[in-house]
Amino acid sequence: MHKSISLVVLSATLAGLYSCQPGQPVTSTPSQQPANASAAASTEAQARAAVARFVEQQPNAALYQLDSAQALEVNDHWQILVPRTDWAGRMPNKAAFDVDKQTGTVSPLAVK
């Protein structure tokens, strides 16, 4: 009887500990856009538009302040920095996206 109670307590403890573990972070996959001339992001305006389309597909799209985004041209891609309302008063307070100039493919970047 003592063994069965111990097993029940052990099972309950393990189940409780397992449920407390944080879930895997949700990672966004780059948007799948065809590599044609209309999808290219050779200008800053095209890169901003590509990021806007990408952000609209995210479940938390309302948190991004696209009108305050900053664009940086880096060789063959654009880096777009977009402030987030839920990150106010925090550093970093912007999300970063990489936009390939040739294909217009948008991918999120880790911000430190």
Side-chain angles (χ1 to χ4, degrees), residues 4-82:
S4 63
I5 292 174
S6 296
L7 288 175
V8 169
V9 171
L10 179 62
S11 297
T13 302
L14 290 176
L17 289 175
Y18 180 75
S19 67
C20 291
Q21 296 298 315
Q24 294 296 325
V26 177
T27 56
S28 301
T29 57
S31 64
Q32 301 299 319
Q33 296 179 354
N36 59 28
S38 65
S42 56
T43 66
E44 180 181 334
Q46 291 170 330
R48 286 176 178 263
V51 169
R53 287 189 301 272
F54 180 81
V55 167
E56 287 174 3
Q57 298 171 358
Q58 303 304 309
N60 56 354
L63 299 176
Y64 294 91
Q65 298 175 322
L66 292 168
D67 57 339
S68 298
Q70 296 175 328
L72 303 168
E73 186 174 8
V74 183
N75 298 328
D76 60 347
H77 61 274
W78 293 94
Q79 286 185 354
I80 309 293
L81 304 174
V82 183

Side-chain angles (χ1 to χ4, degrees), residues 68 70 81-84 87 90-96 109 111:
S68 298
Q70 296 175 328
L81 304 174
V82 183
R84 286 182 52 141
W87 291 358
R90 171 190 149 177
M91 291 304 286
N93 62 356
K94 297 176 182 164
L109 296 173
V111 182

